Coordinates of all heavy atoms in Angstrom, one line a residue:
M5 N 0.8 -1.3 0.0 CA 0.0 0.0 0.0 C 0.9 1.3 0.0 O 0.5 2.2 -0.6 CB -0.9 0.0 1.2 CG -1.8 1.2 1.2 SD -3.3 0.5 0.6 CE -4.6 1.5 0.9
V6 N 2.0 1.2 0.7 CA 2.9 2.4 0.7 C 3.4 2.8 -0.6 O 3.3 4.0 -1.0 CB 4.1 2.1 1.8 CG1 5.1 3.3 1.7 CG2 3.5 1.9 3.1
P7 N 3.7 1.9 -1.5 CA 4.1 2.4 -2.9 C 3.0 3.2 -3.6 O 3.2 4.1 -4.3 CB 4.4 1.1 -3.6 CG 4.8 0.1 -2.5 CD 4.0 0.5 -1.4
L8 N 1.7 2.7 -3.4 CA 0.6 3.4 -4.1 C 0.4 4.7 -3.5 O 0.1 5.7 -4.2 CB -0.6 2.5 -3.9 CG -1.9 3.1 -4.6 CD1 -1.7 3.3 -6.1 CD2 -3.1 2.1 -4.4
L9 N 0.6 4.8 -2.1 CA 0.4 6.1 -1.5 C 1.5 7.1 -1.9 O 1.3 8.3 -2.1 CB 0.5 6.0 0.1 CG -0.7 5.3 0.7 CD1 -0.6 5.0 2.1 CD2 -2.0 6.0 0.4
N10 N 2.8 6.5 -2.1 CA 3.8 7.4 -2.5 C 3.8 7.8 -3.9 O 4.2 8.8 -4.3 CB 5.2 6.7 -2.3 CG 5.5 6.5 -0.8 OD1 5.0 7.4 0.0 ND2 6.3 5.5 -0.4
N11 N 3.2 6.9 -4.8 CA 2.9 7.2 -6.2 C 1.6 6.8 -6.7 O 1.5 5.7 -7.1 CB 4.1 6.5 -7.0 CG 3.9 6.7 -8.5 OD1 3.1 7.7 -8.9 ND2 4.7 6.0 -9.3
P12 N 0.6 7.6 -6.5 CA -0.8 7.3 -6.9 C -1.0 6.9 -8.3 O -2.0 6.2 -8.7 CB -1.6 8.6 -6.6 CG -0.8 9.3 -5.6 CD 0.7 9.0 -5.9
Q13 N 0.0 7.2 -9.2 CA 0.0 6.9 -10.6 C 0.4 5.4 -10.9 O 0.4 5.0 -12.0 CB 0.6 7.8 -11.5 CG 0.2 9.3 -11.3 CD -1.3 9.5 -11.7 OE1 -1.8 9.0 -12.6 NE2 -2.0 10.2 -10.7
S14 N 1.0 4.8 -9.9 CA 1.6 3.5 -10.1 C 0.5 2.5 -10.3 O -0.7 2.7 -10.0 CB 2.3 3.1 -8.8 OG 1.5 2.9 -7.8
K15 N 0.8 1.4 -11.0 CA -0.1 0.3 -11.4 C -0.8 -0.3 -10.1 O -0.1 -0.6 -9.2 CB 0.5 -0.8 -12.2 CG -0.4 -1.7 -12.8 CD 0.3 -2.7 -13.7 CE -0.7 -3.7 -14.2 NZ -0.1 -4.6 -15.2
H16 N -2.2 -0.4 -10.1 CA -2.8 -1.1 -9.0 C -4.2 -1.7 -9.6 O -4.5 -1.3 -10.7 CB -3.1 -0.1 -7.9 CG -3.9 1.1 -8.3 ND1 -3.3 2.1 -9.0 CD2 -5.2 1.4 -8.1 CE1 -4.3 3.1 -9.2 NE2 -5.4 2.6 -8.7
R17 N -4.9 -2.3 -8.8 CA -6.1 -3.1 -9.2 C -7.1 -1.9 -9.6 O -7.2 -0.9 -8.9 CB -6.7 -3.9 -8.2 CG -5.9 -5.1 -8.0 CD -6.6 -6.0 -7.0 NE -5.9 -7.2 -6.9 CZ -5.8 -7.9 -5.8 NH1 -6.4 -7.5 -4.7 NH2 -5.2 -9.0 -5.7
E18 N -7.9 -2.1 -10.6 CA -9.0 -1.2 -11.0 C -10.1 -1.1 -10.0 O -10.7 -0.1 -9.8 CB -9.4 -1.5 -12.4 CG -10.5 -0.6 -12.9 CD -11.1 -1.0 -14.3 OE1 -10.7 -2.1 -14.9 OE2 -11.9 -0.2 -14.8
F19 N -10.4 -2.2 -9.3 CA -11.5 -2.5 -8.5 C -11.2 -3.0 -7.2 O -10.3 -3.9 -7.1 CB -12.6 -3.3 -9.1 CG -13.2 -3.0 -10.4 CD1 -12.8 -3.5 -11.5 CD2 -14.1 -1.9 -10.5 CE1 -13.3 -3.1 -12.8 CE2 -14.7 -1.5 -11.6 CZ -14.3 -2.1 -12.8
A20 N -11.9 -2.6 -6.1 CA -11.8 -3.3 -4.9 C -12.8 -4.5 -4.9 O -13.8 -4.4 -5.5 CB -12.0 -2.3 -3.7
Y21 N -12.5 -5.4 -4.1 CA -13.4 -6.8 -4.2 C -13.9 -7.0 -2.7 O -13.2 -7.0 -1.8 CB -12.6 -7.9 -4.8 CG -13.3 -9.2 -4.5 CD1 -14.3 -9.6 -5.3 CD2 -12.7 -10.1 -3.7 CE1 -14.8 -10.9 -5.0 CE2 -13.2 -11.4 -3.4 CZ -14.4 -11.7 -4.1 OH -14.8 -13.0 -3.9
S22 N -15.2 -7.5 -2.7 CA -15.6 -8.0 -1.4 C -16.6 -9.2 -1.8 O -17.2 -9.3 -2.8 CB -16.4 -7.0 -0.6 OG -17.4 -6.4 -1.3
S23 N -16.8 -10.0 -0.7 CA -17.7 -11.2 -0.9 C -18.4 -11.4 0.4 O -17.7 -11.3 1.5 CB -16.9 -12.4 -1.3 OG -17.7 -13.5 -1.5
Y24 N -19.6 -11.6 0.5 CA -20.4 -11.8 1.7 C -21.6 -12.8 1.5 O -22.2 -12.8 0.5 CB -20.8 -10.4 2.3 CG -21.4 -9.5 1.3 CD1 -22.7 -9.5 0.9 CD2 -20.5 -8.8 0.4 CE1 -23.2 -8.7 -0.1 CE2 -21.0 -7.9 -0.6 CZ -22.4 -7.9 -0.9 OH -22.8 -7.2 -1.9
P25 N -21.8 -13.6 2.6 CA -23.0 -14.6 2.5 C -24.3 -13.9 2.7 O -24.5 -13.0 3.4 CB -22.6 -15.5 3.6 CG -21.8 -14.7 4.6 CD -21.1 -13.7 3.9
F26 N -25.3 -14.5 2.0 CA -26.7 -14.2 2.2 C -27.4 -15.6 2.5 O -28.0 -16.1 1.7 CB -27.3 -13.5 1.0 CG -26.9 -12.1 1.0 CD1 -25.8 -11.8 0.2 CD2 -27.8 -11.2 1.4 CE1 -25.5 -10.4 0.1 CE2 -27.5 -9.9 1.3 CZ -26.3 -9.5 0.6
P27 N -27.2 -16.1 3.8 CA -27.8 -17.4 4.1 C -29.2 -17.6 3.9 O -29.7 -18.7 3.4 CB -27.3 -17.6 5.5 CG -26.9 -16.4 6.1 CD -26.6 -15.4 4.9
W28 N -30.0 -16.5 4.1 CA -31.5 -16.7 3.9 C -31.8 -16.8 2.4 O -32.9 -17.2 2.1 CB -32.2 -15.5 4.5 CG -31.7 -14.2 4.0 CD1 -32.4 -13.4 3.0 CD2 -30.7 -13.4 4.4 NE1 -31.7 -12.3 2.7 CE2 -30.6 -12.3 3.6 CE3 -29.7 -13.6 5.4 CZ2 -29.7 -11.2 3.7 CZ3 -28.7 -12.6 5.5 CH2 -28.7 -11.4 4.6
K29 N -30.9 -16.5 1.5 CA -31.1 -16.7 0.1 C -30.3 -17.8 -0.4 O -30.3 -18.1 -1.7 CB -30.8 -15.4 -0.7 CG -31.7 -14.3 -0.4 CD -33.0 -14.3 -1.2 CE -33.8 -13.1 -1.0 NZ -35.1 -13.2 -1.6
K30 N -29.5 -18.4 0.4 CA -28.5 -19.4 0.0 C -27.6 -18.9 -1.1 O -27.5 -19.6 -2.2 CB -29.3 -20.7 -0.3 CG -29.9 -21.4 0.8 CD -30.5 -22.7 0.5 CE -31.2 -23.3 1.8 NZ -31.9 -24.4 1.6
A31 N -27.1 -17.8 -0.9 CA -26.3 -17.1 -1.9 C -25.1 -16.4 -1.3 O -25.1 -16.1 -0.1 CB -27.2 -16.1 -2.6
I32 N -24.2 -16.1 -2.2 CA -23.0 -15.3 -1.9 C -23.0 -14.1 -2.8 O -23.2 -14.2 -4.0 CB -21.7 -16.1 -2.2 CG1 -21.7 -17.4 -1.4 CG2 -20.5 -15.2 -1.7 CD1 -21.6 -17.4 0.1
G33 N -22.9 -12.9 -2.2 CA -22.8 -11.7 -2.8 C -21.4 -11.3 -3.2 O -20.6 -11.3 -2.2
H34 N -21.0 -11.2 -4.4 CA -19.7 -10.8 -4.8 C -19.7 -9.4 -5.4 O -20.6 -9.2 -6.3 CB -19.1 -11.9 -5.8 CG -19.0 -13.2 -5.3 ND1 -18.1 -13.7 -4.4 CD2 -19.8 -14.3 -5.6 CE1 -18.3 -14.9 -4.2 NE2 -19.3 -15.3 -4.9
S35 N -18.9 -8.5 -4.9 CA -19.0 -7.1 -5.4 C -17.6 -6.6 -5.9 O -16.5 -7.0 -5.2 CB -19.4 -6.2 -4.4 OG -20.7 -6.5 -4.0
I36 N -17.5 -5.8 -6.9 CA -16.3 -5.0 -7.2 C -16.8 -3.5 -7.2 O -17.9 -3.2 -7.4 CB -15.7 -5.4 -8.5 CG1 -16.7 -5.4 -9.6 CG2 -15.0 -6.7 -8.4 CD1 -16.1 -5.5 -11.0
R37 N -15.9 -2.6 -6.8 CA -16.2 -1.2 -6.9 C -14.9 -0.3 -7.1 O -13.8 -0.8 -6.8 CB -16.9 -0.8 -5.5 CG -16.0 -0.8 -4.3 CD -16.5 0.0 -3.2 NE -16.3 1.4 -3.5 CZ -16.9 2.4 -2.9 NH1 -17.7 2.1 -1.9 NH2 -16.7 3.7 -3.2
N38 N -15.2 0.8 -7.5 CA -14.2 1.9 -7.8 C -14.8 3.1 -7.1 O -15.8 3.0 -6.4 CB -13.7 1.9 -9.1 CG -14.7 2.4 -10.1 OD1 -15.7 3.0 -9.8 ND2 -14.4 2.1 -11.4
E39 N -14.3 4.3 -7.4 CA -14.7 5.4 -6.9 C -16.1 5.8 -7.5 O -16.8 6.6 -6.8 CB -13.7 6.7 -7.1 CG -13.5 7.1 -8.5 CD -12.4 6.3 -9.3 OE1 -11.9 5.2 -8.6 OE2 -12.2 6.5 -10.5
N40 N -16.6 5.3 -8.6 CA -17.8 5.7 -9.2 C -18.9 4.7 -9.1 O -20.1 5.0 -9.1 CB -17.5 6.0 -10.6 CG -16.6 7.1 -10.8 OD1 -16.7 8.1 -10.1 ND2 -15.6 6.9 -11.7
I41 N -18.5 3.4 -9.1 CA -19.6 2.3 -9.2 C -19.3 1.2 -8.2 O -18.2 0.9 -7.9 CB -19.8 1.8 -10.7 CG1 -18.5 1.2 -11.2 CG2 -20.2 2.8 -11.6 CD1 -18.6 -0.3 -11.2
R42 N -20.5 0.5 -7.9 CA -20.4 -0.8 -7.2 C -21.2 -1.8 -8.1 O -22.3 -1.4 -8.5 CB -20.9 -0.8 -5.9 CG -20.8 -2.2 -5.2 CD -21.6 -2.3 -3.8 NE -21.3 -1.2 -3.0 CZ -20.3 -1.2 -2.1 NH1 -19.3 -2.1 -2.1 NH2 -20.1 -0.1 -1.3
Y43 N -20.6 -2.9 -8.4 CA -21.3 -3.9 -9.2 C -21.3 -5.2 -8.3 O -20.3 -5.6 -7.9 CB -20.6 -4.2 -10.4 CG -21.2 -5.2 -11.3 CD1 -22.4 -5.1 -11.9 CD2 -20.7 -6.6 -11.4 CE1 -23.1 -6.1 -12.6 CE2 -21.2 -7.6 -12.1 CZ -22.4 -7.3 -12.8 OH -22.9 -8.3 -13.4
T44 N -22.5 -5.8 -8.2 CA -22.7 -7.0 -7.3 C -23.4 -8.0 -8.0 O -24.4 -7.8 -8.7 CB -23.5 -6.6 -6.1 OG1 -22.7 -5.6 -5.3 CG2 -23.5 -7.9 -5.1
E45 N -23.0 -9.2 -7.9 CA -23.7 -10.5 -8.4 C -23.9 -11.4 -7.2 O -23.0 -11.6 -6.4 CB -22.9 -11.2 -9.6 CG -22.9 -10.4 -10.8 CD -22.1 -11.2 -11.8 OE1 -21.5 -12.3 -11.7 OE2 -22.2 -10.7 -13.0
F46 N -25.1 -11.9 -7.2 CA -25.4 -12.9 -6.1 C -25.5 -14.2 -6.8 O -26.1 -14.5 -7.8 CB -26.8 -12.6 -5.6 CG -26.8 -11.3 -4.9 CD1 -27.3 -10.1 -5.6 CD2 -26.4 -11.1 -3.6 CE1 -27.2 -8.8 -5.1 CE2 -26.4 -9.8 -3.0 CZ -26.8 -8.8 -3.8
W47 N -24.7 -15.1 -6.3 CA -24.4 -16.5 -6.9 C -25.0 -17.6 -5.8 O -24.7 -17.4 -4.7 CB -23.0 -16.8 -7.1 CG -22.2 -15.9 -8.2 CD1 -22.7 -14.9 -8.8 CD2 -20.9 -16.0 -8.5 NE1 -21.8 -14.3 -9.6 CE2 -20.6 -15.0 -9.5 CE3 -19.8 -16.9 -8.1 CZ2 -19.4 -14.8 -10.1 CZ3 -18.6 -16.6 -8.7 CH2 -18.3 -15.6 -9.7
N48 N -25.6 -18.6 -6.4 CA -26.0 -19.7 -5.6 C -24.8 -20.2 -4.9 O -23.7 -20.4 -5.5 CB -26.6 -20.8 -6.4 CG -27.0 -21.9 -5.6 OD1 -26.2 -22.8 -5.2 ND2 -28.3 -22.1 -5.4
E49 N -24.9 -20.4 -3.5 CA -23.7 -20.8 -2.7 C -23.2 -22.1 -3.1 O -22.0 -22.4 -2.7 CB -24.1 -20.7 -1.2 CG -25.2 -21.8 -0.7 CD -25.5 -21.5 0.7 OE1 -25.1 -20.5 1.3 OE2 -26.2 -22.3 1.2
K50 N -23.9 -23.1 -3.7 CA -23.5 -24.3 -4.1 C -23.1 -24.5 -5.5 O -22.1 -25.2 -5.8 CB -24.4 -25.4 -3.7 CG -24.7 -25.5 -2.2 CD -25.6 -26.6 -1.8 CE -25.7 -26.7 -0.3 NZ -26.6 -27.6 0.2
T51 N -23.8 -23.9 -6.4 CA -23.6 -24.1 -7.9 C -22.9 -22.9 -8.6 O -22.5 -23.0 -9.7 CB -24.9 -24.3 -8.5 OG1 -25.7 -23.1 -8.4 CG2 -25.6 -25.4 -7.9
D52 N -22.8 -21.7 -7.9 CA -22.2 -20.4 -8.4 C -23.1 -20.0 -9.6 O -22.8 -19.1 -10.3 CB -20.9 -20.6 -9.0 CG -19.8 -20.6 -7.8 OD1 -20.1 -20.2 -6.8 OD2 -18.7 -21.1 -8.1
K53 N -24.3 -20.4 -9.7 CA -25.4 -19.9 -10.7 C -25.7 -18.5 -10.4 O -25.9 -18.2 -9.2 CB -26.5 -20.8 -10.8 CG -27.5 -20.4 -11.8 CD -28.7 -21.3 -12.0 CE -29.7 -20.8 -13.0 NZ -31.0 -21.5 -12.9
L54 N -25.7 -17.7 -11.3 CA -26.1 -16.3 -11.2 C -27.6 -16.2 -10.8 O -28.5 -16.7 -11.5 CB -25.9 -15.5 -12.4 CG -26.2 -13.9 -12.3 CD1 -25.4 -13.2 -11.3 CD2 -26.1 -13.3 -13.7
I55 N -27.9 -15.5 -9.7 CA -29.2 -15.4 -9.2 C -29.8 -14.0 -9.5 O -30.9 -13.8 -10.0 CB -29.4 -15.6 -7.7 CG1 -29.0 -17.0 -7.3 CG2 -30.7 -15.2 -7.1 CD1 -28.7 -17.3 -5.8
A56 N -28.9 -12.9 -9.3 CA -29.3 -11.6 -9.5 C -28.0 -10.7 -9.6 O -27.0 -11.2 -9.1 CB -30.2 -11.1 -8.3
R57 N -28.2 -9.5 -10.1 CA -27.2 -8.6 -10.2 C -27.6 -7.2 -10.1 O -28.8 -6.8 -10.4 CB -26.3 -8.7 -11.4 CG -27.0 -8.6 -12.7 CD -26.0 -8.6 -13.8 NE -26.6 -9.5 -14.9 CZ -25.8 -10.2 -15.7 NH1 -24.6 -10.2 -15.7 NH2 -26.5 -10.9 -16.6
V58 N -26.7 -6.3 -9.6 CA -27.1 -4.9 -9.2 C -25.8 -4.1 -9.4 O -24.7 -4.5 -9.2 CB -27.7 -4.6 -7.9 CG1 -26.8 -5.0 -6.8 CG2 -28.2 -3.2 -7.7
A59 N -26.1 -2.9 -10.1 CA -25.0 -1.9 -10.2 C -25.5 -0.5 -9.6 O -26.7 -0.2 -9.9 CB -24.5 -1.8 -11.7
T60 N -24.7 0.1 -8.9 CA -25.1 1.4 -8.5 C -24.0 2.5 -8.8 O -22.9 2.2 -8.8 CB -25.4 1.4 -6.9 OG1 -24.3 1.0 -6.3 CG2 -26.5 0.6 -6.5
D61 N -24.5 3.7 -9.1 CA -23.6 4.8 -9.4 C -23.4 5.6 -8.1 O -24.3 6.3 -7.6 CB -24.3 5.7 -10.5 CG -23.4 6.9 -10.9 OD1 -22.6 7.4 -10.2 OD2 -23.6 7.3 -12.0
L62 N -22.2 5.4 -7.6 CA -21.9 5.9 -6.3 C -21.8 7.5 -6.2 O -22.0 8.1 -5.2 CB -20.7 5.3 -5.7 CG -20.6 3.8 -5.6 CD1 -19.3 3.2 -5.2 CD2 -21.7 3.4 -4.5
T63 N -21.5 8.1 -7.4 CA -21.5 9.4 -7.4 C -22.8 10.2 -7.5 O -23.0 11.2 -6.9 CB -20.7 10.0 -8.7 OG1 -21.3 9.5 -10.0 CG2 -19.3 9.5 -8.7
K64 N -23.9 9.5 -8.1 CA -25.1 10.1 -8.2 C -26.1 9.5 -7.1 O -27.1 10.0 -6.7 CB -25.7 9.8 -9.5 CG -25.1 10.5 -10.7 CD -25.7 10.1 -12.0 CE -25.0 10.7 -13.1 NZ -25.5 10.4 -14.4
D65 N -25.7 8.3 -6.6 CA -26.6 7.7 -5.6 C -25.7 7.0 -4.5 O -25.6 5.7 -4.4 CB -27.4 6.5 -6.4 CG -28.3 5.7 -5.5 OD1 -28.6 6.1 -4.4 OD2 -28.7 4.6 -5.9
P66 N -25.1 7.8 -3.7 CA -24.3 7.3 -2.6 C -25.0 6.3 -1.6 O -24.3 5.5 -0.9 CB -23.7 8.5 -1.8 CG -24.6 9.6 -2.3 CD -25.2 9.3 -3.5
G67 N -26.3 6.4 -1.5 CA -27.0 5.5 -0.6 C -27.3 4.1 -1.3 O -27.8 3.2 -0.7
E68 N -26.9 4.0 -2.6 CA -27.0 2.8 -3.4 C -28.5 2.2 -3.3 O -28.7 1.2 -3.1 CB -26.1 1.7 -2.9 CG -24.7 2.2 -3.0 CD -23.7 1.1 -2.6 OE1 -23.6 0.1 -3.2 OE2 -22.9 1.4 -1.5
T69 N -29.4 3.1 -3.8 CA -30.9 2.6 -3.8 C -31.4 2.3 -5.2 O -32.4 1.8 -5.4 CB -31.8 3.8 -3.1 OG1 -31.6 4.9 -3.9 CG2 -31.3 3.9 -1.7
T70 N -30.6 2.7 -6.2 CA -31.1 2.5 -7.6 C -30.2 1.7 -8.4 O -29.0 2.0 -8.6 CB -31.2 4.0 -8.3 OG1 -32.1 4.8 -7.6 CG2 -31.9 3.9 -9.7
N71 N -30.7 0.6 -9.0 CA -30.0 -0.3 -9.9 C -29.9 0.4 -11.3 O -30.9 0.6 -11.9 CB -30.7 -1.6 -10.0 CG -29.9 -2.6 -10.7 OD1 -29.0 -2.4 -11.3 ND2 -30.4 -3.9 -10.6
V72 N -28.7 0.6 -11.8 CA -28.5 1.2 -13.1 C -28.1 0.4 -14.2 O -27.7 0.8 -15.3 CB -27.5 2.4 -12.9 CG1 -28.0 3.5 -11.9 CG2 -26.2 1.9 -12.5
I73 N -28.4 -0.9 -14.0 CA -28.1 -1.9 -15.1 C -28.9 -1.7 -16.4 O -28.2 -2.0 -17.5 CB -28.1 -3.3 -14.5 CG1 -27.0 -3.6 -13.6 CG2 -28.2 -4.4 -15.6 CD1 -27.1 -5.0 -13.0
K74 N -30.2 -1.5 -16.2 CA -31.0 -1.6 -17.5 C -30.5 -0.7 -18.6 O -30.1 0.5 -18.5 CB -32.4 -0.9 -17.1 CG -33.4 -1.2 -18.2 CD -34.8 -0.7 -17.7 CE -35.8 -1.1 -18.9 NZ -37.1 -0.8 -18.4
G75 N -30.3 -1.4 -19.8 CA -29.9 -0.6 -21.0 C -28.4 -0.5 -21.1 O -27.9 0.2 -22.0
K76 N -27.6 -1.2 -20.3 CA -26.1 -1.1 -20.4 C -25.4 -2.5 -20.5 O -24.6 -2.8 -19.7 CB -25.7 -0.4 -19.1 CG -26.2 1.1 -18.9 CD -25.7 1.7 -17.7 CE -26.3 3.2 -17.8 NZ -26.2 3.8 -16.4
A77 N -25.9 -3.2 -21.4 CA -25.4 -4.6 -21.6 C -23.9 -4.7 -21.7 O -23.3 -5.5 -21.2 CB -26.1 -5.3 -22.8
E78 N -23.3 -3.9 -22.6 CA -21.8 -4.0 -22.8 C -21.1 -3.6 -21.5 O -20.1 -4.3 -21.1 CB -21.4 -3.1 -23.8 CG -21.7 -3.4 -25.2 CD -21.0 -2.6 -26.3 OE1 -20.1 -2.0 -26.1 OE2 -21.8 -2.4 -27.3
W79 N -21.6 -2.6 -20.7 CA -21.0 -2.2 -19.5 C -21.1 -3.3 -18.4 O -20.1 -3.7 -17.8 CB -21.7 -0.9 -19.1 CG -21.3 -0.2 -17.9 CD1 -20.1 0.5 -17.7 CD2 -21.9 -0.1 -16.6 NE1 -20.0 1.0 -16.4 CE2 -21.1 0.7 -15.8 CE3 -23.2 -0.5 -16.2 CZ2 -21.6 1.0 -14.4 CZ3 -23.6 -0.2 -14.9 CH2 -22.8 0.5 -14.1
V80 N -22.3 -3.9 -18.3 CA -22.5 -5.0 -17.5 C -21.7 -6.1 -17.8 O -21.0 -6.8 -17.0 CB -24.0 -5.3 -17.3 CG1 -24.3 -6.6 -16.6 CG2 -24.9 -4.2 -16.8
D81 N -21.6 -6.5 -19.0 CA -20.7 -7.6 -19.5 C -19.3 -7.4 -19.0 O -18.6 -8.3 -18.5 CB -20.8 -7.8 -20.9 CG -20.1 -9.0 -21.4 OD1 -20.4 -10.2 -20.9 OD2 -19.2 -8.9 -22.3
R82 N -18.7 -6.2 -19.2 CA -17.4 -5.9 -18.7 C -17.2 -6.0 -17.3 O -16.3 -6.7 -16.8 CB -17.0 -4.5 -19.3 CG -15.5 -4.1 -18.9 CD -15.1 -2.8 -19.3 NE -15.2 -1.7 -18.6 CZ -14.6 -1.4 -17.5 NH1 -13.9 -2.4 -16.9 NH2 -14.7 -0.4 -16.7
L83 N -18.1 -5.5 -16.5 CA -18.0 -5.7 -15.1 C -18.2 -7.1 -14.6 O -17.5 -7.5 -13.7 CB -19.2 -4.7 -14.4 CG -18.9 -3.3 -14.7 CD1 -20.2 -2.5 -14.1 CD2 -17.8 -2.8 -13.8
S84 N -19.1 -7.8 -15.2 CA -19.3 -9.2 -14.9 C -18.0 -10.0 -15.1 O -17.7 -10.9 -14.3 CB -20.5 -9.8 -15.7 OG -20.8 -11.2 -15.2
K85 N -17.4 -9.8 -16.2 CA -16.2 -10.5 -16.5 C -15.0 -10.1 -15.5 O -14.3 -11.0 -15.0 CB -15.7 -10.2 -17.9 CG -16.5 -10.9 -18.9 CD -16.1 -10.5 -20.4 CE -17.0 -11.3 -21.4 NZ -16.7 -10.8 -22.8
A86 N -14.9 -8.9 -15.2 CA -13.9 -8.4 -14.2 C -14.2 -8.9 -12.8 O -13.3 -9.4 -12.1 CB -14.0 -6.9 -14.1
L87 N -15.5 -9.1 -12.4 CA -15.9 -9.6 -11.2 C -15.5 -11.2 -11.1 O -15.0 -11.6 -10.1 CB -17.4 -9.5 -10.9 CG -17.9 -10.1 -9.6 CD1 -17.2 -9.5 -8.3 CD2 -19.4 -9.9 -9.6
K88 N -15.8 -11.8 -12.2 CA -15.6 -13.4 -12.2 C -14.1 -13.5 -12.1 O -13.7 -14.5 -11.4 CB -16.2 -13.9 -13.4 CG -16.0 -15.5 -13.5 CD -16.7 -16.1 -14.7 CE -16.5 -17.6 -14.6 NZ -17.1 -18.2 -15.8
K89 N -13.3 -12.8 -12.8 CA -11.9 -12.9 -12.8 C -11.3 -12.7 -11.3 O -10.5 -13.4 -10.8 CB -11.2 -11.9 -13.7 CG -9.8 -12.0 -13.8 CD -9.2 -11.0 -14.7 CE -7.6 -10.9 -14.8 NZ -7.2 -10.1 -15.7
R90 N -11.9 -11.7 -10.6 CA -11.5 -11.4 -9.3 C -11.8 -12.5 -8.3 O -11.2 -12.9 -7.4 CB -12.0 -10.0 -8.8 CG -11.4 -9.5 -7.5 CD -10.0 -9.3 -7.6 NE -9.5 -9.0 -6.4 CZ -8.9 -9.9 -5.5 NH1 -8.8 -11.1 -5.9 NH2 -8.6 -9.5 -4.3
V91 N -13.1 -13.1 -8.4 CA -13.6 -14.1 -7.6 C -12.7 -15.3 -7.7 O -12.2 -15.9 -6.7 CB -15.1 -14.5 -7.9 CG1 -15.5 -15.8 -7.1 CG2 -16.0 -13.3 -7.5
L92 N -12.4 -15.6 -8.9 CA -11.6 -16.9 -9.2 C -10.1 -16.7 -8.7 O -9.5 -17.7 -8.1 CB -11.6 -17.2 -10.7 CG -12.9 -17.7 -11.2 CD1 -12.9 -17.9 -12.8 CD2 -13.5 -18.9 -10.6
A93 N -9.6 -15.6 -8.8 CA -8.4 -15.2 -8.2 C -8.3 -15.3 -6.8 O -7.4 -15.9 -6.1 CB -7.8 -13.8 -8.7
A94 N -9.4 -14.8 -6.1 CA -9.5 -14.9 -4.6 C -9.5 -16.3 -4.1 O -9.0 -16.8 -3.1 CB -10.6 -14.1 -4.1
R95 N -10.2 -17.1 -4.9 CA -10.4 -18.6 -4.5 C -9.1 -19.3 -4.6 O -8.9 -20.3 -3.9 CB -11.5 -19.2 -5.4 CG -12.9 -18.8 -5.0 CD -13.9 -19.4 -6.0 NE -15.2 -19.0 -5.5 CZ -16.2 -19.5 -6.3 NH1 -16.2 -20.2 -7.3 NH2 -17.5 -19.1 -5.8
K96 N -8.2 -18.9 -5.5 CA -6.9 -19.6 -5.6 C -5.9 -19.2 -4.5 O -4.9 -19.8 -4.4 CB -6.3 -19.2 -7.0 CG -7.1 -19.9 -8.1 CD -6.4 -19.6 -9.5 CE -7.2 -20.2 -10.6 NZ -6.7 -19.8 -11.9
T97 N -6.1 -18.1 -3.8 CA -5.3 -17.5 -2.8 C -5.3 -18.4 -1.6 O -6.4 -18.6 -1.0 CB -5.6 -16.0 -2.6 OG1 -5.5 -15.3 -3.8 CG2 -4.6 -15.5 -1.5
D98 N -4.2 -18.8 -1.2 CA -4.1 -19.6 0.2 C -3.9 -18.5 1.3 O -3.2 -17.6 1.2 CB -2.8 -20.4 0.2 CG -2.9 -21.6 -0.8 OD1 -4.1 -22.0 -1.0 OD2 -1.9 -22.1 -1.2
L99 N -4.8 -18.7 2.3 CA -4.7 -17.7 3.4 C -3.8 -18.3 4.5 O -3.7 -19.3 4.8 CB -6.0 -17.4 3.9 CG -7.0 -16.7 3.0 CD1 -8.4 -16.6 3.6 CD2 -6.5 -15.4 2.6

């Protein structure tokens, strides 16, 4: 983190990643976010099948109450691929 603080222009991940359980839905929510957007997909906890997805514009909706996915297929596809890549990378990491 110190190199990034010393040089904000240095190479770093485009998105922060988080993952959290939703046991009442038998799902895991996986999210990526940057300073402008949060994109979340809810996957079945056993099969990883996509259940739902939501994207919020954090600059216009900091309370994250409005899903802005409708009509943005290319954008959603790019975010979905980035999220899947990040989830798979996290699963390969030994803690």
Side-chain angles (χ1 to χ4, degrees):
M5 184 100 167
V6 172
L8 183 58
L9 293 173
N10 289 335
N11 180 8
Q13 301 305 316
S14 65
K15 187 175 179 178
H16 60 283
R17 289 185 178 146
E18 181 181 4
F19 299 105
Y21 164 73
S22 62
S23 183
Y24 42 92
F26 283 86
W28 59 95
K29 294 282 189 183
K30 297 186 179 176
I32 305 293
H34 300 284
S35 295
I36 52 175
R37 69 160 286 164
N38 62 21
E39 65 277 2
N40 299 316
I41 60 108
R42 179 188 316 273
Y43 176 74
T44 302
E45 289 186 352
F46 299 92
W47 297 1
N48 178 283
E49 66 185 8
K50 292 184 180 173
T51 66
D52 285 343
K53 181 179 176 187
L54 179 65
I55 297 170
R57 60 176 133 207
V58 61
T60 53
D61 182 333
L62 301 171
T63 57
K64 294 178 182 174
D65 181 17
E68 300 183 65
T69 60
T70 305
N71 189 350
V72 297
I73 285 180
K74 190 174 182 178
K76 297 181 179 166
E78 284 184 35
W79 183 69
V80 170
D81 186 54
R82 180 174 98 59
L83 291 171
S84 183
K85 286 177 182 174
L87 177 62
K88 184 175 183 177
K89 181 178 178 181
R90 188 63 188 97
V91 170
L92 294 177
R95 287 179 176 174
K96 290 181 182 177
T97 303
D98 292 330
L99 298 178

